[in-house]
Amino acid sequence: MQLTLDSDFSDECWQPPEAEFQPLLDFENEILDQAPYNDISLLTQRIKRSFLDYVRQGIMLDAVRRYRLYKRQYRDFAEYCKLALGRSHFYCKRIIQAAQICLHLIKSKFKILPTSVAQALPLVKFAQVDEYGQTQLEEKWQTVLDGLPPQLITAAKIQEALDENPEDRAKQVRIGGKAYQLLQQKALAAGMAVSKYLEMLIGATEPPDDEPDDVEPTELTPEKEEICDRAEAFARRQKPKRVAGFGSKNLSTCPQKAIGSPIRSDKSSDSS
């Protein structure tokens, strides 16, 4: 189980200048004024084309990046994305990748295509070209189309259809903010990620084992060294308890500074 955020690309953070909204207002007036006279088939075509606007964005972004059109005003592509577009470099790269996926499918004669960045991204890993110059992209997209009618295709459904390890698929869990903070605190105290801590709570995984013997000991700070020294001195002052037939050794409370040699289990008895 894994706590995940929604994978859809949100535009909430973008706040363009007010003048940039005007074309949308003009477009609204144009469509509404002409609505009684519009041909439904024409509108339908325009609506379908708008589903692929992310492809146009990706083509333009790729041109800016590939030909370094940003060079006159910005240090690099990342700065251009941040200052000129109000987007992160990561976000813009994802749009470019999604557009390339859709263009590849168009050139492969597919009529049904991913209609958003989120739908195209699960296909990216299958677009890698192998040593024979082939990819799995067409095969994987056909798998999606064979299993789902077009109206039911979503980013989540695509991910499920292409998931090669469905038992390990991440699921979304919605919990309150205070509960999540408490989970974070307890996971941190256990030295675990939140997702792994949840799996341990429900019994999906075992609690973490103690540090194995072959792991290098953690280097102690001077303060921890002093604490260990005091603990060892206290241990030496205590009278050790003995059990007949077995020798007792005082062991350090700090594994990095253990006192005495290791006990050998193969040592012969003096009395034999």
Side-chain angles (χ1 to χ4, degrees), residues 38-197:
N38 268 329
D39 183 351
I40 182 61
S41 60
L42 178 61
L43 280 179
T44 301
Q45 290 177 5
R46 297 178 69 179
I47 292 170
K48 286 183 175 180
R49 283 199 299 268
S50 70
F51 290 151
L52 300 179
D53 279 347
Y54 76 93
V55 181
R56 297 180 177 87
Q57 293 175 6
I59 293 170
M60 291 185 286
L61 282 167
D62 187 46
V64 170
R65 182 181 66 172
R66 181 179 303 184
Y67 296 103
R68 300 187 177 185
L69 304 181
Y70 52 80
K71 276 296 185 180
R72 292 185 179 179
Q73 294 178 271
Y74 304 98
R75 183 177 67 252
D76 52 28
F77 184 64
E79 185 176 85
Y80 166 77
C81 294
K82 178 181 179 181
L83 300 182
L85 302 178
R87 290 289 191 272
S88 70
H89 183 211
F90 175 81
Y91 180 95
C92 292
K93 285 178 63 178
R94 287 298 197 223
I95 296 176
I96 294 173
Q97 289 178 316
Q100 291 172 342
I101 292 297
C102 191
L103 289 170
H104 188 121
L105 294 175
I106 291 173
K107 294 171 184 177
S108 298
K109 308 302 181 183
F110 282 95
K111 301 299 182 184
I112 301 173
L113 302 165
T115 58
S116 68
V117 173
Q119 287 189 16
L121 287 180
L123 295 160
V124 169
K125 63 182 178 180
F126 301 110
Q128 296 180 0
V129 179
D130 61 20
E131 57 184 321
Y132 304 105
Q134 302 296 321
T135 75
Q136 294 181 287
L137 181 57
E138 296 92 339
E139 174 190 347
K140 294 298 184 179
W141 183 239
Q142 189 61 56
T143 298
V144 173
L145 299 182
D146 291 343
L148 294 167
Q151 68 273 16
L152 295 183
I153 293 178
T154 64
K157 293 292 185 182
I158 294 172
Q159 186 68 54
E160 290 180 8
L162 301 178
D163 197 345
E164 297 173 349
N165 297 297
E167 65 277 2
D168 294 331
R169 186 185 305 145
K171 301 293 184 181
Q172 290 187 357
V173 179
R174 295 185 180 275
I175 60 176
K178 291 184 178 179
Y180 185 74
Q181 289 179 356
L182 181 60
L183 273 174
Q184 282 183 312
Q185 294 172 3
K186 291 186 175 295
L188 180 62
M192 304 171 67
V194 173
S195 58
K196 293 298 181 183
Y197 184 74

